[in-house]
Structures are given as C-alpha cells and as structure tokens.
Amino acid sequence: MGEAYDRMQGELQWLGQQLGREAPGFDPLSAHTDLAGRVTSGDITRDVALELAQHRHTGQLQQSHTQAQQDRQQQDVQYQQGLASVQQLGAQLRASDAQFDQKLALLTPSIELIQRTLPPSQWQTEIHRAYLALPATAIAAPAAAAPVARSAPNPTRPGSGAPVAPQITPENAFDLGVQAAKARGQ
C-alpha cells in the first residue's frame, strides 16, 4: 500500500504540473517568480496568484495545442502535395515507357522505403532517380502463364474440380501480392 501511495503522489504531482494546479510536491508559483514575489510582498494573496498562474498555464496549453494543429495541417498538406507529385510522375512515366508496369513492380519496395524515410517534398525526385537507375536488363519479357492444373472431379471430395491456387514461395510472394493489390484496385 505504501508503494501505491508513493505512485499516486507521483501521479498527482504530474497532473498538477500538466494542469497548472497546486498538488502535493508541485507548487505552480515556482514557475512564476513574479507572482511568488508579489505574494511574498503582500501585494496579492496566494489564492489570487494561483489563479493567475493557472490562467497563464491554460493560455500556454491553448497556444501549444493551436501550434500542434497547425503543424499537423501543414504536414497533411505536404503529404498530399507529395502524393500528387508522385502520381503526376507515374502518369508521365506510364505514358512514355511501355515497360512501366514491370518496372513499377521492381521499384515498389524502393518507393515504400523512400516514402517512409524522406519528407514528401523529396519523394518525386528520389522515386524518379530510383526509376532511372533501374537496369534495362532487369525487365524481362513476361513469362507465359503455366496452365493451371485441374484434377478430375471426385465425388468424395467436393470442389476438387476448382482451380488450384498458386503455391506461395519467397520468389513469387511479391508478384502475387502486387497482383492481389491490382485486383483490389489499389
């Protein structure tokens, strides 16, 4: 119980600091030396000084909240601009390169890394640089699709005549994921 009491005291102190209110172990006037001096000199009462300190703290919280909102809005705008520039680049490259889809499949992991690690303002430039760095020999002609093996219908196994799903291997996992995403319209 003593340990719980000590933890609660710590929580009360933290809450007092966050709210700008007097709490065990926290005096809001410690951050406002001008108010503490006026209390000491008898110009104002401690209650009035605490109320003024809390109003100041509330103003600071509102200001930091407003700043955080503005920062989030600016980040959202930058993100949308980054996406738009990448989409524009994609449209230009698709129109000028017949092998765009094959190159895009190879480039997707790099695009994801670029978008995770760089600011949106640099996405288009870095993605274009990575696209241009793709070796021309890396793009092979699409392989002919192997016929899907089907077994003869078997009355004891329902649905045995259904197409067999391709087996997922480390070599084809990415391609199957890209195909699934395209099928979903992503």
Side-chain angles (χ1 to χ4, degrees), residues 79-153:
Y79 180 81
Q80 293 302 324
Q81 289 173 342
L83 281 180
S85 67
V86 169
Q87 289 172 345
Q88 180 184 15
L89 173 66
Q92 290 171 353
L93 293 174
R94 185 179 301 265
S96 65
D97 189 348
Q99 294 180 328
F100 175 79
D101 290 328
Q102 291 86 4
K103 289 180 181 180
L104 181 62
L106 292 173
L107 195 60
T108 298
S110 297
I111 292 172
E112 292 170 356
L113 179 66
I114 288 168
Q115 290 180 328
R116 272 195 322 268
T117 58
L118 296 176
S121 61
Q122 296 177 9
W123 290 354
Q124 180 187 24
T125 303
E126 292 304 316
I127 291 171
H128 191 230
R129 184 175 296 149
Y131 186 86
L132 294 175
L134 285 174
T137 58
I139 310 301
V148 176
R150 293 186 184 222
S151 60

Side-chain angles (χ1 to χ4, degrees), residues 5-142:
Y5 180 80
D6 291 340
R7 285 187 190 166
M8 290 301 292
Q9 289 290 87
E11 291 294 320
L12 282 173
Q13 183 179 2
W14 180 82
L15 283 171
Q17 290 172 342
Q18 297 305 308
L19 296 172
R21 292 186 179 173
E22 193 169 24
F26 175 70
D27 181 10
L29 295 182
S30 64
H32 304 277
T33 55
D34 63 324
L35 295 177
R38 290 179 66 192
V39 169
T40 304
S41 69
D43 290 343
I44 59 174
T45 65
R46 180 167 176 78
D47 291 339
V48 171
L50 288 172
E51 187 175 334
L52 287 172
Q54 188 172 3
H55 283 292
R56 288 180 184 177
H57 185 74
T58 302
Q60 290 171 346
L61 286 176
Q62 288 175 342
Q63 185 178 6
S64 64
H65 178 71
T66 301
Q67 183 64 43
Q69 281 182 322
Q70 290 172 348
D71 290 347
R72 278 192 301 274
Q73 288 173 346
Q74 185 178 7
Q75 289 172 353
D76 288 346
V77 167
Q78 290 173 351
Y79 180 81
Q80 293 302 324
Q81 289 173 342
L83 281 180
S85 67
V86 169
Q87 289 172 345
Q88 180 184 15
L89 173 66
Q92 290 171 353
L93 293 174
R94 185 179 301 265
S96 65
D97 189 348
Q99 294 180 328
F100 175 79
D101 290 328
Q102 291 86 4
K103 289 180 181 180
L104 181 62
L106 292 173
L107 195 60
T108 298
S110 297
I111 292 172
E112 292 170 356
L113 179 66
I114 288 168
Q115 290 180 328
R116 272 195 322 268
T117 58
L118 296 176
S121 61
Q122 296 177 9
W123 290 354
Q124 180 187 24
T125 303
E126 292 304 316
I127 291 171
H128 191 230
R129 184 175 296 149
Y131 186 86
L132 294 175
L134 285 174
T137 58
I139 310 301

